[in-house]
Amino acid sequence: MSETKAVPLPRAVALPTGSSRSLKTSLRYAAPALLGYVAVRLTGIAILLITASATGKDGMHRLAGRWDSVWYQRIAEHGYGYEVRLPDGTFHSDLAFFPLLPALERGLSVLIPPLGVAGAGLLVSWLASLAAAGGIFAVGARLYGRRAGVLLAVLWGAYPTAFVQSMAYTETLFTALAAWALYAVLTDKWITAGVLCIGAGLTRPVAAALIAAIGVTALWRLFTAWRGGEPLRTPLRMAVGVCLAPLGWLSYIAFVAVREGHPFAYFDVQADWNNRIDGGAALAAFVGEQFGRNVFAGLGLCAAFAFLFWVVWLCVRQRPRQPLPVITYCVVVVVISLIGSGYFGSRPRLMMPAFPLLLPAAVALAGARRRTLPAVAVGVAALASGVYGAFTLLGSGPP
């Protein structure tokens, strides 16, 4: 971080949108981020397809037709109501999956029949990935300037599990809604933030982090206005946005409760999938098991968590340039990812929407003295992410 301090960063700016600039100008402003993101993701897909061809496997099928993608497609085609009984007697119900992605898949497959629901799922994911890159860029540029925003978006495309961004999964759709909702909060567009949060709440359960970010920020604004004796800007719009934010998430929880005849039915469904909040007990047990098998594996995991906590601390230290809604969202996503009892390998994917974790790296690269360093760093990250993605998708599947 010393280089970042030595080289002054550009002042935070707002993304040119709305009446001040045309849409064409806004897209031109964001073009380096979008083009860089596309280049990184195309690199990952190319590595996957080349490797799949060399091993006699179907790379595109891995992106659109396996694992959670199949559950979403079944919901899109037949609605909810499908269950699988496991050998241990427990059930896996499709009610564990939120409805926005399958609804979009169904709608697109009706509008463009040749796509089918599988193709529609990929199209939604790919378009949402561009929207997510744009939103991530908007947040980064707002806080640290255009160069940092570009690097933030491109680094997100080179995240270790970024191959999921090219699959018919919900990560890109959720991240797009979350990033633009955070940008809306940063620019005092509270109703827009609330509406986007409704969409996020219909996409993934981790929308609780976005709801918390909007609510905590509103409470802090109220407190600081009261303490300073100053009038609060747009209080009505802020109140409306805060009230709108949880409606998507709550409506799906209520839908499952009514359907199953139990107020906590959704959480029971998740428990059947071994997804329950246990305060990190499952994670601690897994780390302990690794020490029992191989001490170096256990130490490696501890080092990875130490690195994660260090990055979170760097984000917190960037206050006030990394403001309350961004930090709250990031920290809560990380916490939710760590305190669940689910499969250990899924945790990096669950943390992927926490794009502010990449801000310290983006800021450091933006302020680097050597102008070639960002390109080299992004190139190495893109290749490593692509190789890991091909290895994972052509092997056991996405974590």
Side-chain angles (χ1 to χ4, degrees), residues 71-79 101-103 105-106 109 117:
W71 286 88
Y72 287 115
Q73 291 165 25
R74 187 184 296 274
I75 296 168
E77 292 175 324
H78 307 292
L101 176 60
E105 288 177 337
R106 183 176 182 84
S109 65
V117 292

Side-chain angles (χ1 to χ4, degrees), residues 56-79:
K57 297 179 179 179
D58 188 344
M60 290 302 297
H61 180 62
R62 262 61 173 187
L63 296 178
R66 296 191 66 186
W67 305 293
D68 288 2
S69 299
V70 177
W71 286 88
Y72 287 115
Q73 291 165 25
R74 187 184 296 274
I75 296 168
E77 292 175 324
H78 307 292

Side-chain angles (χ1 to χ4, degrees), residues 159 174 206 208-210 277 279-280 283 304-305 307-313 315-316 322 326-340 346-358:
Y159 186 85
F174 173 80
V206 75
L210 186 58
I277 301 299
L283 178 60
F305 285 120
F307 177 75
L308 171 64
F309 297 143
W310 176 65
V311 171
V312 171
W313 173 241
C315 292
V316 174
Q322 190 168 158
V326 176
I327 290 177
T328 302
Y329 166 78
C330 179
V331 171
V332 176
V333 170
V334 171
V335 170
I336 291 174
S337 303
L338 295 179
I339 64 174
S346 67
R347 296 175 196 270
R349 174 172 66 86
L350 297 178
M351 275 187 270
M352 190 166 59
F355 65 87
L357 287 174
L358 300 169

Side-chain angles (χ1 to χ4, degrees), residues 37 108 120-134 165 172-173 176:
Y37 175 81
L108 267 180
L122 277 183
L123 182 58
V124 170
S125 180
W126 292 354
L127 291 176
S129 72
L130 283 175
Q165 297 170 19
T172 57
L173 180 59

Side-chain angles (χ1 to χ4, degrees), residues 82-367:
Y82 180 73
E83 293 181 334
V84 173
R85 181 186 287 273
L86 301 181
D88 62 3
T90 59
F91 283 97
H92 278 183
S93 168
D94 59 7
L95 290 170
F97 298 91
F98 278 57
L100 185 56
L101 176 60
L104 293 174
E105 288 177 337
R106 183 176 182 84
L108 267 180
S109 65
V110 171
L111 289 174
I112 314 174
L115 275 179
V117 292
L122 277 183
L123 182 58
V124 170
S125 180
W126 292 354
L127 291 176
S129 72
L130 283 175
I136 291 169
F137 163 75
V139 172
R142 171 81 180 178
L143 301 180
Y144 292 101
R146 189 186 189 193
R147 183 175 174 82
V150 170
L151 286 164
L152 181 64
V154 175
L155 286 173
W156 189 69
Y159 186 85
T161 59
F163 60 87
V164 178
Q165 297 170 19
S166 301
M167 299 177 66
Y169 270 43
T170 57
E171 274 75 10
T172 57
L173 180 59
F174 173 80
T175 305
L177 292 163
W180 283 111
L182 289 173
Y183 182 76
V185 172
L186 293 175
T187 53
D188 282 329
K189 295 180 174 61
W190 288 92
I191 295 178
T192 300
V195 171
L196 290 169
C197 193
I198 290 175
L202 292 171
T203 305
R204 292 187 63 81
V206 75
L210 186 58
I211 296 167
I214 293 173
V216 167
T217 303
L219 289 174
W220 180 251
R221 294 275 185 92
L222 286 170
F223 173 73
T224 53
W226 170 79
R227 186 178 60 179
E230 299 176 357
L232 185 66
R233 293 180 56 191
T234 63
L236 180 58
R237 289 178 175 273
M238 186 174 71
V240 172
V242 170
C243 291
L244 287 173
L247 293 184
W249 188 85
L250 288 175
S251 65
Y252 185 67
I253 303 302
F255 165 77
V256 177
V258 171
R259 184 184 178 95
E260 299 298 295
H262 187 275
F264 302 107
Y266 170 76
F267 303 99
D268 294 337
V269 168
Q270 289 289 359
D272 287 338
W273 281 82
N274 194 31
N275 292 325
R276 61 176 67 86
I277 301 299
D278 66 0
L283 178 60
F286 180 84
V287 174
E289 290 173 5
Q290 303 316 300
F291 272 105
R293 295 172 182 173
N294 187 322
V295 66
F296 293 106
L299 290 173
L301 283 177
C302 289
F305 285 120
F307 177 75
L308 171 64
F309 297 143
W310 176 65
V311 171
V312 171
W313 173 241
L314 289 180
C315 292
V316 174
R317 285 189 62 189
Q318 285 182 331
R319 283 275 294 163
R321 290 292 294 276
Q322 190 168 158
L324 184 61
V326 176
I327 290 177
T328 302
Y329 166 78
C330 179
V331 171
V332 176
V333 170
V334 171
V335 170
I336 291 174
S337 303
L338 295 179
I339 64 174
S341 61
Y343 173 54
F344 174 81
S346 67
R347 296 175 196 270
R349 174 172 66 86
L350 297 178
M351 275 187 270
M352 190 166 59
F355 65 87
L357 287 174
L358 300 169
L359 267 170
V363 171
L365 289 173

